[in-house]
Amino acid sequence: MEKATKDTYLQIVRKHYPQLAGEQVNILEGGNDHFVFVVNQEVAFRFARSARERKPAVTKFLEIFSRCSPLPIPRPEMHFDVQNGIPYETGPFIPGTSFYPEIAKSFTHDELMTIARQLGHFLSVLHSFPLDLAREIGVDEMDPATFWEYMQRDAFPEYERVVFPHISTRAQKWIERLFADYIGTIKATPFTTTVTHADMWVFHIIVDHQRHTLSGVIDFGLRIADPANDFKAFEHYGQAFVAEVYRNYNLPIDDSFEMRRLFYTGHDVVYILAQAILRSDSKQISIAHRQLVEYIEAHPHR
């Protein structure tokens, strides 16, 4: 984070807490979407990396869903700093750390299975949220009959432009096949949609690293979309974890659900590299490139 940006955000935080001491604020590293400042381990201030405001529908949804969610989730309040022209949000801090794959390695099998069961139940409740109510409050909705067109016309060419110059021919062909198989599948048989988290990635699953427990889920993108997309992060915790989530998910799973889940997982590995390249972040480019190579090795096309 550039110092000027950090200082501006801290200035905004201090408008809420004028007597705040430096040691009372933590800046959380990681994540693609927000800069996060935590005050006294109690309140989180979130500033979007790109110029965008959270849609009112998301705030309204979280207010409703928090009453039935089996896991702690954020209930943000929206703000706008007129002096700096910056939108931001505040809310109760869910303590813990993102469930990165390297952190999951320190959890026992039983601890992982407990978390998998909790996540399966959480997604069952989330994906059962009434579609009529979601539409009424303005939740964004994709059209599964035409989504393949967006992936073919816009998404893949952008990755080809941004990522391909930085990767091997083998990796390029792997990505081409990943997209081609997915586009062909959803073009032939459009998926059924539900209300989804829409950004259920490792960054947004929060665990207590000391107690090895699940703390909550954050950063809802929120969309009426493909429920398989909400299962994408689980691949990084092993097949037993994926199977346990499925066992505790009580909604129907169609024939191409697993294939689509794996597409979304692979897609996000590519997406993280693309974002690092667009930010010219050499350190993150190196890390994301290594992760892509490792993922391809572990998931060769059959």
Side-chain angles (χ1 to χ4, degrees):
M1 185 188 312
E2 295 181 1
K3 185 176 187 298
T5 303
K6 175 182 174 181
D7 288 346
T8 299
Y9 292 158
L10 279 173
Q11 179 188 83
I12 293 172
V13 172
R14 290 183 185 281
K15 290 181 180 180
H16 292 259
Y17 296 91
Q19 306 303 317
L20 194 66
E23 65 272 12
Q24 293 175 289
V25 184
N26 292 327
I27 303 173
L28 301 188
E29 301 295 335
N32 287 301
D33 300 325
H34 293 85
F35 298 114
V36 181
F37 295 73
V38 180
V39 177
N40 296 326
Q41 294 296 299
E42 294 176 351
V43 178
F45 286 73
R46 294 162 58 80
F47 300 88
R49 288 180 182 270
S50 58
R52 61 183 176 84
E53 283 189 85
R54 185 188 289 276
K55 295 179 180 179
V58 179
T59 304
K60 181 62 176 177
F61 169 84
L62 292 173
E63 177 185 338
I64 297 170
F65 185 64
S66 64
R67 302 169 195 159
C68 63
S69 173
L71 293 175
I73 62 171
R75 288 186 60 180
E77 294 183 9
M78 307 310 301
H79 306 269
F80 185 81
D81 185 78
V82 176
Q83 179 183 352
N84 296 288
I86 295 176
Y88 62 101
E89 62 186 64
T90 62
F93 176 58
I94 296 178
T97 186
S98 295
F99 200 26
Y100 293 108
E102 56 268 27
I103 289 177
K105 291 177 181 177
S106 68
F107 286 54
T108 68
H109 175 79
D110 287 347
E111 289 166 345
L112 287 172
M113 293 306 100
T114 296
I115 291 174
R117 286 190 288 273
Q118 291 174 296
L119 288 170
H121 180 45
F122 169 76
L123 290 179
S124 297
V125 178
L126 174 62
H127 294 171
S128 299
F129 192 89
L131 288 177
D132 288 346
L133 178 56
R135 291 171 178 135
E136 181 183 325
I137 63 178
V139 174
D140 184 39
E141 182 170 6
M142 70 158 54
D143 181 354
T146 60
F147 187 61
W148 68 269
E149 295 178 1
Y150 160 75
M151 298 301 287
Q152 180 174 281
R153 182 188 64 243
D154 299 319
F156 176 74
E158 180 66 3
Y159 288 124
E160 192 174 31
R161 180 186 71 82
V162 173
V163 175
F164 278 26
H166 299 265
I167 60 177
S168 67
T169 301
R170 180 188 177 212
Q172 292 174 14
K173 291 185 179 301
W174 186 90
I175 295 171
E176 289 173 352
R177 175 75 179 276
L178 180 75
F179 273 82
D181 289 349
Y182 172 76
I183 290 168
T185 296
I186 66 170
K187 181 178 180 180
T189 309
F191 46 78
T192 300
T193 58
T194 68
V195 172
T196 66
H197 179 285
D199 200 8
M200 191 77 170
W201 194 234
V202 296
F203 304 127
H204 303 144
I205 302 170
I206 306 301
V207 296
D208 186 319
H209 195 189
Q210 303 301 318
R211 298 180 180 179
H212 287 191
T213 55
L214 181 60
S215 301
V217 173
I218 64 171
D219 223 11
F220 282 68
L222 193 62
R223 199 178 193 194
I224 298 173
D226 186 356
N229 190 31
D230 278 351
F231 288 71
K232 61 189 177 183
F234 308 149
E235 183 70 10
H236 295 290
Y237 312 129
Q239 286 306 299
F241 191 97
V242 173
E244 191 66 15
V245 174
Y246 275 141
R247 272 193 289 270
N248 289 272
Y249 183 69
N250 60 18
L251 298 179
I253 293 176
D254 59 66
D255 291 342
S256 66
F257 196 99
E258 175 66 1
M259 175 269 181
R260 300 195 318 271
R261 177 186 74 85
L262 287 171
F263 166 78
Y264 297 123
T265 309
H267 168 275
D268 274 28
V269 175
V270 179
Y271 172 80
I272 289 171
L273 175 56
Q275 292 301 300
I277 293 169
L278 290 171
R279 295 198 303 268
S280 299
D281 187 332
S282 58
K283 179 180 178 181
Q284 288 304 314
I285 290 172
S286 177
I287 293 171
H289 183 270
R290 173 178 53 79
Q291 291 173 339
L292 175 61
V293 170
E294 291 175 351
Y295 188 82
I296 290 173
E297 289 294 331
H299 298 83
H301 291 302
R302 292 180 176 83

